[in-house]
Amino acid sequence: MSDYEDLGFAKLDTDRLSRTGFSEVVFCQGKADDYLKAIFERLYKAHGQVLGTRATENQFEIAKSILPAQACVKYDKVARTIRAGKENEVLTGKIAVCTAGTADIPVAEEAAQCAEFWGSKVVRIYDVGVSGIHRLLSKTDELNSANVVIAIAGMEGALASVIGGLVKVPVIAVPTSVGYGANLGGLSALLTMINSCANGISVVNIDNGFGAAYTATQINRLAVFGGTK
């Protein structure tokens, strides 16, 4: 039995769920409509669920048109995610998703909704950037009660370093492209985060809420299940 399905234009990794604990996720941006239809249809057939990121409303309509009614296809305009099929009814553990400002929320919502799709309980702590650090300090206990923190910031990206110096749990830093010219599309925040002197911080790519959610879910599952799931 093949561990992937060859569609010609795509090779669907249908074995990924049993191999890694996560079924293949569709990066929707730039995909032709016919390709998107076939991929969503086949992944839903294989797993009874499918998650798409960086999706447009038109792509949502396409997915909804080819999936059965019981798939309950949902689209979120802020996160730009498509969620279809069975999801975990009981969310476990705890992931804290934090943003420096409200402009970072689209990336944060991509992270939060992906983590929830994969079965993690998420607490959202938004607009707690360093320009009013008392807002963040009031949430220290809640941050430390999580199994992992996702820190999302644009501008100079200092939020991750501050959180890293406050908490006892791993921190996943996500630089965003939010900021004025010298932010360089998120590069300044990225460089701040990878040069942080705070310990326990790992960094994903600019605006990559999905990548942060994936790693955070792995950490959360280890904390809850001890690596058995």
Side-chain angles (χ1 to χ4, degrees):
M1 181 178 178
S2 175
D3 56 1
Y4 67 89
E5 184 176 354
D6 194 342
L7 303 182
F9 56 85
K11 294 176 176 60
L12 301 186
D13 189 1
T14 51
D15 184 56
R16 189 176 300 183
L17 179 60
S18 61
R19 191 176 71 249
T20 69
F22 299 83
S23 57
E24 185 170 3
V25 175
V26 185
F27 183 76
C28 299
Q29 184 175 314
K31 282 188 170 55
D33 292 351
D34 288 343
Y35 294 171
L36 196 76
K37 287 179 182 178
I39 291 169
F40 265 84
E41 189 173 38
R42 300 297 182 87
L43 287 177
Y44 180 81
K45 182 179 179 181
H47 304 298
Q49 63 173 187
V50 61
L51 172 64
T53 63
R54 292 295 177 91
T56 65
E57 289 191 63
N58 180 63
Q59 289 173 323
F60 159 63
E61 294 296 338
I62 290 170
K64 190 168 66 170
S65 72
I66 56 95
L67 294 178
Q70 61 265 30
C72 299
V73 187
K74 304 172 186 175
Y75 179 68
D76 188 276
K77 294 180 181 180
V78 177
R80 293 187 291 168
T81 55
I82 299 173
R83 297 161 61 169
K86 60 185 179 183
E87 297 188 32
N88 293 276
E89 294 182 359
V90 179
L91 302 179
T92 58
K94 186 176 180 181
I95 297 172
V97 178
C98 305
T99 72
T102 54
D104 302 309
I105 288 176
V107 176
E109 277 302 308
E110 180 183 76
Q113 292 189 31
C114 287
E116 288 172 339
F117 185 85
W118 293 319
S120 292
K121 181 180 178 181
V122 174
V123 58
R124 292 159 170 82
I125 304 174
Y126 291 168
D127 198 25
V128 289
V130 298
S131 62
I133 201 166
H134 57 289
R135 301 171 299 178
L136 176 66
L137 297 177
S138 72
K139 301 293 184 180
T140 303
D141 289 343
E142 188 165 24
L143 292 173
N144 271 312
S145 70
N147 294 318
V148 56
V149 177
I150 299 176
I152 301 168
M155 300 290 185
E156 85 294 348
L159 180 66
S161 292
V162 176
I163 291 177
L166 288 174
V167 302
K168 60 186 178 183
V169 298
V171 176
I172 302 169
V174 187
T176 74
S177 52
V178 172
Y180 292 106
N183 170 262
L184 301 175
L187 182 59
S188 63
L190 173 65
L191 291 174
T192 296
M193 289 170 173
I194 62 176
N195 283 288
S196 175
C197 66
N199 298 314
I201 296 176
S202 58
V203 186
V204 299
N205 207 346
I206 298 167
D207 293 335
N208 189 8
F210 163 81
Y214 192 103
T215 302
T217 299
Q218 289 180 310
I219 294 169
N220 190 50
R221 287 179 179 178
L222 286 168
V224 175
F225 303 109
T228 61
K229 185 175 180 179

